[in-house]
């Protein structure tokens, strides 16, 4: 985060950073192939401003005007393991140790 946030904003006051500045930074990070990091940058800036406001600073939070969805959206993965993959994973588990909790016959 030092190279992403501090390198751009380190010499600026909180009230000098605008939503356009933050959006440009997030787009720069996204352009290098890191959309999740770009959203993370926005979230960190949002938290910094929230902390400052909580402690009495009277500034607008530029991250409030930059929605995470405007930076990147993520498609959930709907894939499930096949029976063969489950079998393979099961066989990779270490054998149980200690007494078993389940009894097979009584």
């Amino acid at each position: 985060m030092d190279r992403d946030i501090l390198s751009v904003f380190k010499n600026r006051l909180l009230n000098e950073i605008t939503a356009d500045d933050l959006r440009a930074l997030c787009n720069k990070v996204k352009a290098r192939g890191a959309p999740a990091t770009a959203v993370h940058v926005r979230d960190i800036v949002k938290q910094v401003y929230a902390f400052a406001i909580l402690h009495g600073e009277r500034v607008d939070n530029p991250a409030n005007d930059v929605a995470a969805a405007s930076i990147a959206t993520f498609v959930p993965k709907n894939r499930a393991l096949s029976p063969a993959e489950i079998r393979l994973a099961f066989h990779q588990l270490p054998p149980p140790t200690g007494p078993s909790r389940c009894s097979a016959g009584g």
Side-chain angles (χ1 to χ4, degrees):
M1 290 302 136
D2 285 350
R3 80 173 184 176
D4 292 322
I5 299 172
L6 288 180
S7 66
V8 176
F9 294 148
K10 70 179 174 184
N11 293 323
R12 296 174 67 183
L13 299 175
L14 289 176
N15 60 4
E16 295 175 342
I17 300 170
T18 67
D20 289 336
D21 296 331
L22 178 58
R23 191 174 293 107
L25 174 60
C26 291
N27 286 336
K28 178 181 166 187
V29 173
K30 181 180 173 184
R32 73 167 194 247
T37 302
V39 173
H40 195 187
V41 164
R42 178 238 178 223
D43 292 342
I44 289 172
V45 170
K46 185 172 185 158
Q47 290 174 355
V48 167
Y49 274 84
F51 179 86
I53 291 167
L54 183 67
H55 288 84
E57 292 295 324
R58 296 181 189 271
V59 293
D60 290 327
N61 190 334
N64 289 338
D65 296 329
V66 180
S70 73
I71 300 166
T73 55
F74 302 96
V75 179
K77 296 180 179 167
N78 294 330
R79 184 182 181 283
L81 293 176
S82 70
E85 291 169 321
I86 293 171
R87 192 175 314 105
L88 180 64
F90 179 75
H91 288 295
Q92 296 300 315
L93 294 174
T97 58
S100 174
R101 289 192 167 167
C102 115
S103 61

